Amino acid sequence: MLAWVALLWLLEAVDAVSGHALDGLGITPRTPSELVDVVPASFIHFGFAHVAANSVPLLVLGFLAALGGLRRFAAVCALIIVVGGLGVWLIAPAHTNTAGASGLIFGLFGYLLVTGFVERRPLGIVVGLLVAAIWGTTFLAGLAPTQTGVSWQGHLVGLIAGVGAAVVFRRRGASGELTSSGR
């Protein structure tokens, strides 16, 4: 996670030095040529304050999600980034440019919130409840369409994608049944 966040800071430094040339990799809704920016948009930010605001939540939530295994974590992140980006492309207001890791962060929040319940794993449930207790009000505020310059649509579709990832990537036992032993 430290390397991931360092990459985000490096990309923003390159963006700043290049006169914000990378900002064009954000998603402009319902423009077919912008579909190629669905993935890069999660790595691009609009200034150092934007990267700073996303760094700590990405570090913490990413670390917690990665404890379930790196392959699973990579698959969860890929699903959240792609589904979240497509959701932004579909529902964000016309003539906007959406970028940043916050859709992924909201997705990881949703993933951690429900994984324990979906898998019926007590430790996962405790982690989800702790994440909700610590970050819940902050994430609820991020879903409100009251802040200018903030994509509540990106937050919402990221959250939905994270909940979906918890269902899609839930652990199953050898018989195909959901595990309850915490394996």
Side-chain angles (χ1 to χ4, degrees):
M1 287 316 306
L2 288 173
W4 191 324
V5 171
L7 173 65
L8 298 181
W9 281 90
L10 175 64
L11 287 170
E12 186 52 38
V14 168
D15 188 45
V17 169
S18 69
H20 302 287
L22 298 180
D23 288 353
L25 295 175
I27 301 167
T28 302
R30 294 167 301 284
T31 304
S33 63
E34 290 292 310
L35 286 170
V36 298
D37 292 335
V38 162
V39 172
S42 291
F43 296 89
I44 303 305
H45 290 79
F46 300 131
F48 289 105
H50 189 198
V51 179
N54 283 335
S55 292
V56 171
L58 183 58
L59 278 170
V60 173
L61 298 176
F63 174 77
L64 290 173
L67 290 175
L70 290 181
R71 281 190 205 160
R72 184 179 187 197
F73 174 69
V76 164
C77 288
L79 186 140
I80 293 168
I81 288 170
V82 171
V83 171
L86 290 173
V88 166
W89 187 84
L90 286 170
I91 70 168
H95 312 295
T96 59
N97 184 10
T98 303
S102 60
L104 173 60
I105 293 165
F106 273 75
L108 292 172
F109 175 77
Y111 173 78
L112 290 168
L113 207 60
V114 277
T115 297
F117 291 100
V118 168
E119 295 179 355
R120 299 182 191 130
R121 296 178 57 222
L123 181 59
I125 292 170
V126 169
V127 168
L129 292 173
L130 284 172
V131 165
I134 294 167
W135 298 86
T137 55
T138 301
F139 281 87
L140 279 175
L143 293 173
T146 56
Q147 299 175 357
T148 58
V150 175
S151 174
W152 66 268
Q153 298 92 348
H155 296 170
L156 178 62
V157 294
L159 180 67
I160 292 167
V163 170
V167 173
V168 169
F169 296 112
R170 68 186 176 272
R171 286 192 167 88
R172 295 182 177 275
S175 66
E177 295 295 318
L178 290 175
T179 60
S180 59
S181 65
R183 282 186 265 145

